[in-house]
Amino acid sequence: WSGCLSRMLRFDPVLTQVVGVGLCACAIIVSAVSVSRAYEPKQDYRGALEFVQNQRRPDDVILTVDLTALPYQRFFKMDWKNVTTVDELALARSQGTRTWLVYTMPVVLQAAHPEIMKTINREFQTIKEFSGTLNGGNIVVSRAESSIP
C-alpha cells in the first residue's frame, strides 16, 4: 500500500515507510494517553462520601436528592435521607444546624425537581464538586449553614 502510494505521488519509498511508521507511532501514543481516563470512575461517589464524612459535624444533616439516593443508600449503606419535595427538604433541614446536600446531574435534577433545584440555588452553597468521566455527572456537595432561612 505504501509502495503504490509512493509510486503514484513519486515519493521515495523509504521516506514513505518512515512517515507511515511515524504516523502510526503518533496514533498509538495518543491512544495510550487517553486510555488511562477510561479506567477513572464515571462518577466519584466515594470521593464525595469521604469528603462529607470528614467535614461533617455531629449535629449536621446530610441529604441526597434524586439520582444520588441509590448509590449512597444501597451501595455505601449510608443513612443519609433522600428528599423528593421542598417540604421534605425543609423538614430535614429543621433537624440540624447545617445541612449537606449531595446531588448529581443538575440538568436532570432541574427537570425532575425544579422547586428543589430552585431552593438549592437560593439557599445552598456549592462546597466541592467531584468530577468523573460522565459528562455533566459531577457529584456536587453543597451546604446550607443554618436550618431554614
Side-chain angles (χ1 to χ4, degrees), residues 30-93:
V30 167
S31 178
V33 168
S34 67
V35 164
S36 65
R37 187 128 166 91
Y39 294 100
E40 292 178 8
K42 298 292 180 217
Q43 292 181 284
D44 191 7
Y45 287 102
R46 183 178 307 282
L49 168 68
E50 291 170 358
F51 177 79
V52 171
Q53 292 295 77
N54 289 329
Q55 299 294 316
R56 72 183 295 188
R57 296 178 188 159
D59 58 341
D60 286 351
V61 173
I62 304 172
L63 305 172
T64 60
V65 63
D66 203 45
L67 298 174
T68 54
L70 179 75
Y72 288 117
Q73 291 172 352
R74 293 224 179 133
F75 300 129
F76 292 107
K77 305 293 186 205
M78 302 306 297
D79 62 351
W80 299 355
K81 179 169 175 38
N82 185 58
V83 293
T84 58
T85 67
V86 174
D87 291 337
E88 288 179 0
L89 177 58
L91 179 62
R93 288 182 67 191

